[in-house]
């Protein structure tokens, strides 16, 4: 590989000048610039990515912010890994690298600083929650016209670019599927209320119930934290009231499978199980015994879409264009689909 | 945020000089340097990360190379996601970001270029395979003294830093567990031979058989590709010879669960299943019906260890030190453990 020294000699300038040209530092005569660039070209001199990035202010990195809890094996959670695969697929196609950053649940990210420090050209935010600190950080990002996209979280009244799936429809379909078969005593194991995804599932459940001239029994509305363990814990509650419950709808497959596992641990035979409907349609749903009816969420496609929006529409375009784009409210809702399996059939 | 202009004014120098000091470009008087740094400090001026990195030649990024196959949802594979979680945990503690890069199976990575371009300070390589191109690329990395670590792949005769688990012992334990219970007609569903992990599993199986005065029946040595689907395909072969097979050892849980699923699809009741032992001890093993006996691999801890080796021992130390370190052969083998569940008990 050609050295800076050789470029300097060929261009007839000092090495410092070569660096200053390639780093875009300080005032430089056009003539000098031309000579240096010509020499670099001729010798195939490749300055460090940092130097080139410094010159064109692009890192070539697509940022992905992931929620982080020590010892919680986050990438194992089906939907994070699927979305990251979709994001990675699109990034790879576009020759960008993924810069994966972790944030603790209570930490307020200084997203803007990541752009100022030119670590990333655009940012996808996973696992955001609707709290004031988070909101302020995202609003600042938008004001400064940095390209970003929020996934699986809706900020009402904001004009952020968001990619999500239609969880109201998905949950409504799940309940309709149960009520259409005559199930009446339906328990709903939801996730924490701090996620818009949980709130949307609850809305869908209530709509589905109303359509069947039913109401959700408050004593059958249970809350877990989307972990399998929280499902196993809920199983105790469900086992105690088994005669009052003929169906269970869980807000994700992990919790549904946790409940099934918990019932088995308590010696309840599968033929005495209530009907089960899960959510996500993860690998585990198909492999479950009985195979688990579940609401399919196109996580992989959601990841690809978020990356495409940012890479094609944002990173390419000039800042002015960027801010005008991100001031347009765009919430992209991908369709969900109920996949019926044995667990929910009378 | 203070601007370069303000720093220049306070230091009584030109903006170009401020940049040159902070970028370490060209010859600069100590006195000038002192004034600029003092002014930057006083005003809390933060030059772009690129400028600072350019000055100290550190990106603050830990590179992770992942195998990539379009549409294959890689992060979903249990062991990649677990290792990545462990790596991410350690990176987060050390204030480093993860730069995740994808490589197609037949692509020869120019790892060295990533360091030359200062995109990363150290690199962890997942899913490497033992082929000449890969080997040459890694040898070049080592010759240039770049800190890197290979995971789940052994390069015989090389002195690379490698982190892996003891798959010979793990497979041997699995077979012993079966032969000790009197199982004799054991089918072994292995992964592709191009991975040292598959070769080590085969060695362990053969050792376990020999210890029981048995030999592996070549017609019962099946090959899959570590996917669940390849397990479902193998199920056809196993179903046809069910009377000749009393136990199945699969090289990972996904294939074992695929075989179980394939047998179910063929209407074979669980009481007629052969004994099953899987590998990885993924979430799915515990949830399987019957719960799957499996060899636990500490993927998360392996990821943490690889990141720690690089961050603590390498990134911190000067290049000279680095190359001397990486010229020491170090293969770190973490212990595996057989987790016995109902699937393999007589």
């Amino acid at each position: 590989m050609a050295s800076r020294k050789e470029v300097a000699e060929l261009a007839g300038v000092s090495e410092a000048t070569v660096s200053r040209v390639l780093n875009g530092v300080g005032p430089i005569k056009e003539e000098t610039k031309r000579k240096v660039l010509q020499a670099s070209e001729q010798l195939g001199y490749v300055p460090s990515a940092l130097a080139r990035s410094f010159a064109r202010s692009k890192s070539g990195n697509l940022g992905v912010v992931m929620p982080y809890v020590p010892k919680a094996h986050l990438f194992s959670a089906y939907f994070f890994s699927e979305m990251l695969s979709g994001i990675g697929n699109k990034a790879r196609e576009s020759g960008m690298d993924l810069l994966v950053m972790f944030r603790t649940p209570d930490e307020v990210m200084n997203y803007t600083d990541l752009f100022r420090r030119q670590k990333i050209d655009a940012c996808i935010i996973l696992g955001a929650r609707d709290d004031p600190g988070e909101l302020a950080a995202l609003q600042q990002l938008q004001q400064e016209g940095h390209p970003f996209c929020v996934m699986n979280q809706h900020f009402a009244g904001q004009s952020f670019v968001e990619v999500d799936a239609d969880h109201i429809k998905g949950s409504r379909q799940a309940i309709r599927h149960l009520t259409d078969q005559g199930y009446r005593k339906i328990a709903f194991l939801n996730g924490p209320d701090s996620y818009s995804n949980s709130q949307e599932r609850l809305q869908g459940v209530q709509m589905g119930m109303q359509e069947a001239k039913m109401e959700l029994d408050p004593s059958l509305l249970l809350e877990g934290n989307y972990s399998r363990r929280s499902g196993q814990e809920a199983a105790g509650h469900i086992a105690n009231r088994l005669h009052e419950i003929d169906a269970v709808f869980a807000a994700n497959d992990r919790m549904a499978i946790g409940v099934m596992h918990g019932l088995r641990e308590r010696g309840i035979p599968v033929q005495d199980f209530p009907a089960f409907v899960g959510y996500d349609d993860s690998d585990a749903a198909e492999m479950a015994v009985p195979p688990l009816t579940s609401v399919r969420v196109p996580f992989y496609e959601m990841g690809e879409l978020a990356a495409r929006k940012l890479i094609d529409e944002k990173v390419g375009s000039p800042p002015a264009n960027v801010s005008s784009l991100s001031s347009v409210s765009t919430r992209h809702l991908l369709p969900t689909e109920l996949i019926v399996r044995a667990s929910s059939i009378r």
Side-chain angles (χ1 to χ4, degrees), chain A:
Chain A
M1 195 170 92
S3 71
R4 190 178 69 170
K5 192 162 182 299
E6 298 169 67
V7 176
E9 280 163 3
L10 182 60
V13 300
S14 74
E15 284 188 59
T17 304
V18 172
S19 293
R20 287 172 60 231
V21 169
L22 297 175
N23 298 342
V25 173
I28 295 156
K29 291 207 209 74
E30 278 313 304
E31 167 66 5
T32 312
K33 200 176 281 179
R34 196 183 50 70
K35 278 191 293 185
V36 170
L37 294 175
Q38 229 166 37
S40 308
E41 186 66 28
Q42 192 175 326
L43 296 171
Y45 172 64
V46 182
S48 82
L50 288 160
R52 277 186 281 101
S53 305
F54 192 65
R56 69 175 206 288
S57 290
K58 285 250 182 283
S59 64
N61 297 336
L62 174 61
V64 180
V65 175
M66 305 265 302
Y68 170 90
V69 184
K71 280 287 162 199
H73 300 202
L74 260 179
F75 285 94
S76 304
Y78 179 79
F79 83 97
F80 282 118
S81 60
E82 285 294 299
M83 285 191 289
L84 212 46
S85 295
I87 293 167
N89 188 11
K90 177 62 186 171
R92 158 90 194 189
E93 279 174 20
S94 316
M96 291 188 84
D97 295 307
L98 286 191
L99 193 75
V100 177
M101 294 159 291
F102 298 92
R103 48 88 65 79
T104 53
D106 48 3
E107 169 185 18
V108 174
M109 289 287 291
N110 186 342
Y111 298 114
T112 308
D113 189 51
L114 293 168
F115 287 93
R116 287 224 190 93
R117 287 162 50 215
Q118 297 172 17
K119 293 273 297 188
I120 57 176
D121 302 332
C123 189
I124 295 175
I125 295 153
L126 307 183
R129 281 183 312 187
D130 194 349
D131 63 57
E134 179 85 14
L135 181 58
L138 295 176
Q139 284 170 327
Q140 187 187 3
L141 259 190
Q142 190 167 39
Q143 278 151 20
E144 302 195 4
H146 297 301
F148 71 97
C149 175
V150 177
M151 291 189 74
N152 284 88
Q153 176 66 42
H154 178 51
F155 288 87
Q158 302 301 319
S159 57
F160 302 151
V161 175
E162 299 175 336
V163 168
D164 208 333
D166 190 343
H167 300 300
I168 295 178
K169 183 151 176 265
S171 305
R172 187 176 155 192
Q173 284 177 317
I175 295 298
R176 284 297 303 270
H177 165 68
L178 292 170
T179 57
D180 287 351
Q181 295 184 87
Y183 291 106
R184 285 290 173 271
K185 297 174 289 178
I186 302 170
F188 174 39
L189 176 55
N190 200 5
D193 190 56
S194 54
Y195 296 103
S196 61
N197 279 202
S198 307
Q199 298 162 18
E200 288 155 4
R201 282 170 170 78
L202 179 58
Q203 284 179 54
V205 166
Q206 287 163 334
M207 287 169 69
M209 294 270 191
Q210 280 156 22
E211 286 160 1
K213 308 280 180 293
M214 292 167 50
E215 275 198 357
L216 176 61
D217 173 351
S219 73
L220 295 183
L221 172 55
L222 312 174
E223 180 173 317
N225 62 4
Y226 289 116
S227 74
R228 204 180 65 214
R229 186 145 311 286
S230 67
Q232 276 172 272
E233 285 157 13
H237 186 81
I238 290 166
N240 295 339
R241 303 182 54 186
L242 208 51
H243 57 289
E244 306 166 54
I245 296 173
D246 58 16
V248 175
F249 174 43
N252 73 349
D253 292 339
R254 290 168 77 90
M255 291 197 291
I257 289 167
V259 172
M260 287 181 170
H261 193 62
L263 294 182
R264 269 203 193 81
E265 286 175 330
R266 289 170 174 76
I268 297 168
V270 67
Q271 59 270 26
D272 296 350
F273 277 17
F276 276 97
V277 177
Y279 207 103
D280 287 352
D281 192 35
S282 58
D283 292 14
E286 190 187 347
M287 292 296 114
V289 179
L292 180 63
T293 295
S294 187
V295 177
R296 175 170 294 161
V297 180
F299 292 116
Y300 184 88
E301 290 70 19
M302 288 161 69
E304 275 191 320
L305 176 62
R308 188 162 64 246
K309 290 262 158 232
L310 291 175
I311 294 172
D312 297 351
E313 302 176 12
K314 304 298 191 77
V315 176
S317 50
N321 191 349
V322 166
S323 37
S324 70
L325 258 174
S326 39
S327 67
V328 180
S329 169
T330 40
R331 184 170 193 224
H332 306 277
L333 281 192
L334 274 65
T336 50
E337 178 191 8
L338 184 73
I339 307 297
V340 176
R341 301 195 179 91
S343 68
S344 64
I345 306 288
R346 276 261 189 221

